[in-house]
Amino acid sequence: MTIKDIEESLKKGVFSCQELVKESFSTIKKHDKKINAFLTLNEEQALKQANHYDNLIKKDKNIFDEKPLLGIPVALKDLFTTKDIRTTAGSKIIGDYNPPFDATVVKKLIDAGAIIIGKTNEDAWGHGSSGENTDYEVTRNPYDLNRVPGGSSSGSGAAVAYGGVLVGTGTDTGSSVRLPAGFCNLVGLKPTYGRVSRYGIIAMASSFDSIGHMTRTVYDNAKVLEVTAGVDPFDSTTVPIKVDQYTKKLGQSIKGMKIGLPKEYFVKGLDDKVSNSIKNSLKILEKLGATVKEVSLPHTDYAMAAYYILVPSEVSSNLSRYDGIRYGGSREMFGAEAKRRIMLGSYTLSSGYYDAYYLKAAKVRTLIKRDFENAFKEVDVLIVPTSPTLPFKIGEKVDDPLQMYLSDIFLCPVNLAGIPGLNVQSGFVDGFPVGMQIIGPQFSEELLYKVAYLFEQETQYYKIRPKFKNG
Amino acid sequence: MDKKYQPIIGMETHVELKTKSGMFCGCKNDPDAKKPNIHTCPVCLGLPGALPVANKKAIEWTIKLGLALGCKINKLSKFDRKHYFYPDLPKGYQISQYDMPFCYQGKVETSFGPVRITRVHLEEDTGKLIHQNINGHNVSLIDFNRSGVPLVEVVTEPDIFSSVQAKEYAKKLRQIIRYLDISDCDMEKGGMRLEANISLLNVKSQMTNNKSNSKFKLPNYKVELKNINSFRFLERGIEYEIERQREILESGKTPIQETRGYNAEKNITFTQRTKEEAADYRYFPDPDLPPINISEKWLNEIKSTLPEPFDGLFKRWQEKYNLKPELVELLFETAEESKKLEELFKKCIKEKLSVEKFVNAMVHKKIKTIEEFKKMTNIDEVSDDDLKVIIEKILKVNPKAVADYKAGKINTINFLVGMVMREAKKKIEFQRLQDLIKSFL
Amino acid sequence: MSKKTLSTEEILHIAKLGNLTLTEKEVELFKKQLSSVIEYIDKLQEVDTKNVEPLSQTTGLTDIFRKDEPDEKRTLIPEEALKNTKSKENNLFKVKAVLTE
């Protein structure tokens, strides 16, 4: 079921919001003990809210114009601040933190009628690409419980994939929405940096964090962005650009659209099976009217290094506030990955090293942004694999942080440049989802959705459900 | 004063701006808050996920101060994060300015010479620590009302050479800030905080070792004297420090580079923190705050809100009303007040009263209005017409005086004024009478 | 830059900057792991960044301000401000005594 289906059904009275929410919780209770997607459930409040909405619908069926997400069950990544609902960021250090305010995006979703089902598991503080850096139980991939669901928004991805909710929100600093979307057969958007407010989202890397979300279909994803996007007076980095009606152009032809393939991405390290899946998908896009050509992003090789200097620098700064005085526990409670990033970031910002590391990386960032800008002079969008490999096994990379960092290699350049990236399903290999990333210039989300929609309608991968292998 | 050692002093002054709201949030800026932690929000409390948004007025006032101090204004500026851990600093970093402050290269004149202003920058204040003993345990209690209040920092070059000059500089800085009315500079409440960096230069040895070079090398240490909350303590604290350091240097040692506090009761300075390792603040540009362009247009708007500079004001008053700056400056603090004062001066002129005398009376007799002044000098109410009748009579009866005056003996007028007053049997304002009589001649 | 291995001193210094206390085991582990990451990020020195400006804001925004007006909508009552602390006294946060500044 999609958001569109639900709206129709609620209007017609096929089922009520309460029934929808109850169904949500029953699905979660059935699967989550094994999947560990949720850290906190909001059952009492959610049912109350659903009841209230059922009354509103009875009074006026046009309420959906005012509240476009009315009744939609949504899961929030646990670094989204929610008033009076425990918010942990996947960490033990603030394991009992009870915020006195809502994040702007949370407010917007609630005002649009969405029902908060619960807070989802994640790599603590967003530090990770697999979900294994959570301070709690590791989230499993519903397609194969021995495999990672991708991170850091691991719980949100898994929850949408197994049907617990319709929308799972996330943050994408280097990969964290697109990768779980790629590993779980979902549509995952990393919007343009500055498109969606960061106020109330527990900060990982302030100039990288993009507030995104995962859904099963492109339409649903576009519908949610219509609600979350927009300038926020509480966030100085949101851009006052008009919010498009992202669902409006879905279905329009992509004839003549130029798709670029950065040659630097199709090199060794990329699994052949993944590469083949992408190549097949490109053929489908050509059939739909697009043309494909090779482009170059010459500084790709350096993106990872720049990323792993700038991000830990900002992380070490953003985690300074956790001193246990106003909230949370003492700093010994930080997990190993958090400690590593604090150390790395303190080092790259420290006196004597700032120029060689932070400043240098910030200059390389300019070059990477320029690479993309130049590519977009020749093509409309870029397509690359979301991950160099299929979803890997739990425990496979966790002891080698550098290996783990390299899973982001196709994703993090997008965050350095501040541009949007959309994961859409490219296919299945050996039963595992393979994701394809569509990248566009700043504020081109409408274009990305257009391409993704036609592709999705053609391939219909969204209809496939996880089979809980090894579960 | 010992000719061997020359005190070299630089000062850092922190001033709380009296904006209505915080530097990066909308919490009320209220130094008189009656209860702790009543003006906090996610931003100034440093809650996870909170973000700063800059207060435009605080920026404008900082630039205003820079202009009043003769500073250059950076066309492009930004905020940087300054990292250190302390319980009153909720984010573990202070949003401040590092290498691109709003203002730089200014100057304050003192009677001992100019004191160069290195920079004027803007940052956020921290919370307040209150030390107590509860149930036998020494604890620190934290009130975050003050956290996030806009704080301006004024830094000088080491151009101050005595405790007296330091006091004069600090007083002048306060006067300028009060004149702009951007802060109340209430030193007891922490609205203005003074810090001095003090070292002693061995003049003799520099002169013998440095014959060719006219520039002195700065001493290889400096002692920071912090948290001084009165001008008198500043002077005394510096004097104590100079003497303390002199003794150490005389014994052949070098004073430890450290931070010291001042104890007013004992009139001594004491060690607070040793700076063996300078703090590594790991400054980097705050990614949550976009950079700031100070355009020509904006700068001109700010310039247009500047009041008449002191020099011009005092000069004008001296010329027009014969007022001594040292006296009249006691009668006002803000530019608004100076304008109101000038209105009174104008009124004086209109009523033919002496502005100089009026100012004297305001300073020494603490009067505030013209009515009070008149009462005090027993100036009687006499109408011009009545006076004219008397004047005519006196002039008729004193033809020689009239002729003398017309011949050029200007001082004869005083005699005529005296005669009129005697005849009127009333006390009349001298200037007024003089003008009236002149109009007849 | 040549192969970089951090010394124990350096690790402890960095930990101090980040206000972290590490166990002996952690010191050894991080020495290895951080050194390998630093070796990787050192490859940036190959890039020619002459005349390139550093990027800290991808939006290109400048001059974002708010008016100087109190906005009590976000102001917390003391109970809310203090509700997550483990140590308080009369609406004040409480910590072990720190050196007077």
Side-chain angles (χ1 to χ4, degrees), chain A residues 26-27 42 67 80 118 149 153-154 162 176 209 244 295 312 320 325 374 378 399 414 429 445:
Chain A
S26 113
T27 307
N42 188 36
K67 292 187 182 291
F80 279 55
S153 314
S154 43
Y162 76 61
S176 304
D209 294 347
D244 295 320
V295 295
S320 298
I325 294 174
N374 290 335
E378 297 175 51
D399 289 326
V414 163
V429 172
E445 285 85 353

Side-chain angles (χ1 to χ4, degrees), chain B residues 7 58 66 75 91 96-97 106 111 133 159 173 216 221 242 296 305 311 325 339 341 350 370 391 400 409 432:
Chain B
K75 283 205 181 70
K91 295 187 294 295
S96 177
Q97 294 194 288
S111 62
N133 189 296
D159 289 350
L173 181 63
F216 286 128
Y221 75 95
I242 290 171
E296 276 292 329
T305 68
D311 298 337
K339 286 200 187 104
L341 199 60
K350 217 166 156 204
I370 293 191
I391 291 170
K400 182 171 185 290
K409 283 193 184 151
R432 180 187 173 197

